[in-house]
Amino acid sequence: MLYILDTANIEKIKNCIEYYPVVGVTTNPTIISREHTDFLGIITEIRDIIGPDRMFHIQVTGNTCEQIVNEAYALREAVGKNLYVKIPISKQGLKATMLLHREGFHITETAIFTQQQALVAAKAGADFVAPYVNRLDNIVSDGVNVVHEIVELFNMYKLESRVLAASFKNAEQVHKISLVGCHAATVSPEILDSLIYHPLSMYAIDDFEADWKNVYGNNSVLDLLKNDTEK
Ligand code: E4P
């Protein structure tokens, strides 16, 4: 499963790509607006930080096919390759998806809440569909099950589209979608931290350190190996 970062915060992106195996960044208008800064400036800075090989999913704001297509071309001009144009599901969005797909764009159909929205988007040419797990859970609609059934549909019909689960509020949701074969998850830096956090891991590391120091003092593995080869 691919891990993708769901933020536009420059410092958090720098930190996460240094420490975690993230393969891209996703944004939406809410995420961008939280940074209160120049749009072109922030997307070009994110592209510089993540490099040309990571995916960069940026959402359009236009409501008509024509506006969406024009925005897609302008976004490609701004951030270059590995752009995934995020298009919210709608009739105009699907028309734009089919058109842009034919013109070689990568598309992520977003704001997906049902299995049939996902299937139609995939048939229209979306590379990814983004179901909103936590927002589904909030309305007692079992986000993990929706993701599971979309994965099953894509496998059943041998579709190339992949499922990029989004909208997480805890590690349990991420774990559950990973168990059903979801292809990718976009998560906040805080969720990413919580995926690797466990107090027992920290205790174990502290115990290793204390036991080692009891016998070898402040010498590291490297110190001891160097001393041995110098003898
Ligand atoms: C990502 O692509 C989605 O837009 C995002 O995960 C939605 O998350 P939210 O439900 O926390 O706003």
Side-chain angles (χ1 to χ4, degrees):
M1 190 179 73
L2 304 174
Y3 290 105
I4 299 179
L5 203 49
D6 203 22
T7 182
N9 184 278
I10 297 296
E11 290 315 310
K12 289 179 179 178
I13 294 172
K14 281 184 186 164
N15 182 276
C16 287
I17 66 167
E18 185 176 353
Y19 294 104
Y20 291 114
V22 291
V23 299
V25 165
T26 54
T27 63
N28 64 31
T30 307
I31 289 171
I32 294 275
S33 64
R34 276 189 204 126
E35 304 308 312
H36 291 278
T37 190
D38 159 55
F39 177 63
L40 178 60
I42 198 166
I43 63 172
T44 49
E45 195 173 354
I46 293 172
R47 173 50 89 205
D48 284 348
I49 294 166
I50 67 176
D53 296 331
R54 287 191 177 88
M55 293 185 274
F56 192 4
H57 302 244
I58 309 175
Q59 194 163 322
V60 293
T61 58
N63 296 320
T64 66
C65 174
E66 194 186 347
Q67 289 166 344
I68 294 169
V69 169
N70 289 339
E71 289 182 18
Y73 274 96
L75 286 170
R76 188 159 75 179
E77 183 73 26
V79 302
K81 68 171 194 165
N82 273 321
L83 163 71
Y84 285 73
V85 183
K86 279 180 79 183
I87 304 177
I89 182 100
S90 70
K91 282 173 79 171
Q92 292 287 331
L94 286 168
K95 182 177 173 187
T97 298
M98 292 188 281
L99 207 148
L100 290 168
H101 175 66
R102 280 197 299 273
E103 295 182 11
F105 279 82
H106 296 305
I107 313 291
T108 298
E109 207 83 14
T110 194
I112 296 289
F113 283 81
T114 74
Q115 298 83 334
Q116 285 303 310
Q117 285 178 325
L119 190 54
V120 174
K123 299 293 289 184
D127 298 272
F128 284 103
V129 298
Y132 285 6
V133 176
N134 190 66
R135 293 194 199 192
L136 281 159
D137 287 351
N138 285 346
I139 54 165
V140 206
S141 289
D142 196 346
V144 172
N145 184 53
V146 172
V147 169
H148 191 179
E149 290 191 4
I150 297 171
V151 170
E152 284 189 334
L153 284 170
F154 286 7
N155 289 340
M156 186 184 302
Y157 293 110
K158 298 185 174 32
L159 298 173
E160 284 179 10
S161 298
R162 290 183 284 176
V163 184
L164 167 54
S167 178
F168 292 102
K169 285 298 163 281
N170 58 61
E172 178 76 358
Q173 291 167 330
V174 180
H175 175 57
K176 292 261 172 71
I177 63 99
S178 70
L179 281 176
V180 300
C182 188
H183 310 95
T186 186
V187 295
S188 68
E190 293 73 24
I191 296 273
L192 210 42
D193 287 338
S194 73
L195 291 180
I196 66 150
Y197 173 78
H198 199 290
L200 287 178
S201 303
M202 295 165 74
Y203 297 151
I205 292 166
D206 288 348
D207 286 346
F208 290 140
E209 202 175 315
D211 291 343
W212 176 269
K213 276 192 173 161
N214 275 340
V215 177
Y216 301 106
N218 285 329
N219 288 305
S220 68
V221 165
L222 194 60
D223 295 330
L224 298 183
L225 291 175
K226 270 188 181 163
N227 285 344
D228 245 22
T229 51
E230 280 161 11
K231 273 178 200 165

